Amino acid sequence: MKTFINVEDIGPLEKALAEAQEIKNERFKYQHLGKNKTLMMIFFNNSLRTRLSTQKAAMNLGMNVIVLDVNAGAWKLETERGVIMDGDKSEHLLEAIPVMGCYCDMIGVRSFAGLTDREYDYAETVLNQFIKYSGKPVFAMETATVHPLQAFADLITIEEYKMVKRPKVVLTWAPHCRALPQAVPNSFAQWMNAADVDFVITHPEGYELDPKFAGNARVEYDQRKAFEGADFIYAKNWSNPGVTNPADYGKITSKDMSWTVDTEHMSWTNNGKFMHCLPVRRGLIVTDDVIESPNSIVIPEAANREISCSVVIKRMLETL
């Protein structure tokens, strides 16, 4: 595996899930693969779970790890071609990337959407430059449009907690005070469409995800109908994807607080488990009583980030 961006990159999900369980049972089994190998983690944006879980996974696999926070520990980087660099950006990404590649065997990239230019964001401009110019295997640690390590961890968690063979999984939009990217819901939808689940997406009209991620998922605009009989509720805000109206891309076009997941919402489910990628804004996305309830599995979900990343890095090490 040379790149990890979308669900197709991981191959058969049954095999990936079995591998995840194997690694969870014996986390240091494959340390020999990473001996004398170096992972470089590039952060254009803030992180907690991704940074810690990815570094831990790499260390479990015997790797050395270099962490570069571009905004705090490097020259400001220009990402656009054809510009006159007479501002505050001292180095171009096209020189920086191959230099980074000289010092490592594998690269993880975290670069969020700007939410102003949909074409630029959905072209994955920054990530694709790393793939093209680094000369190293590259995996996404959340990009403008996807967060596959999170979605893989979500699937592992659902597999562990499901009570029926084919559970009903609902991705629900919830309000937020800031405009957020669509990366997490995009990847979650993509992975759930590939998994053996009954998948439903619910959100206000106008918040439709890009069809290449939403796929064949059933979209239900009535949140209560969507929640009925659900085994898992995955709450997440996203800004307007601009699918129905490109001018709305990246904007907050709804602040409807009736979408906040509370005890009443969860009462509509089949004793459903509550999921969220974290960090979460309490009182906006979810109420205290729901996220602190016995049916909240946000912490095991976060813990599985180490496992999903371990599988991905292991697969990449095996190709070096």
Side-chain angles (χ1 to χ4, degrees), residues 106-124:
M106 185 186 307
I107 297 177
V109 180
R110 183 175 178 91
S111 179
F112 291 175
L115 296 179
T116 56
D117 185 336
R118 190 181 195 280
E119 184 177 352
Y120 181 89
D121 287 344
Y122 273 69
E124 289 292 4

Side-chain angles (χ1 to χ4, degrees), residues 42-62:
I42 312 296
F43 289 90
F44 289 84
N45 300 92
N46 295 337
S47 175
L48 189 151
R49 276 148 296 277
T50 297
R51 179 167 180 165
L52 297 179
S53 62
T54 306
Q55 188 165 354
K56 181 66 165 63
M59 292 167 64
N60 289 353
L61 290 162

Side-chain angles (χ1 to χ4, degrees), residues 223-225 227-230 263-270:
Q223 193 184 27
R224 179 164 188 158
K225 287 183 179 178
F227 274 47
E228 288 175 356
T263 301
E264 181 183 358
H265 284 72
M266 294 304 291
S267 73
W268 305 333
T269 71
N270 181 32

Side-chain angles (χ1 to χ4, degrees), residues 37-80:
K37 299 291 193 303
T38 299
L39 166 67
M40 183 174 287
M41 300 162 58
I42 312 296
F43 289 90
F44 289 84
N45 300 92
N46 295 337
S47 175
L48 189 151
R49 276 148 296 277
T50 297
R51 179 167 180 165
L52 297 179
S53 62
T54 306
Q55 188 165 354
K56 181 66 165 63
M59 292 167 64
N60 289 353
L61 290 162
M63 299 190 78
N64 302 310
V65 181
I66 298 173
V67 179
L68 178 62
D69 183 341
V70 171
N71 297 314
W75 299 110
K76 288 189 176 181
L77 296 176
E78 178 59 65
T79 60
E80 300 278 359

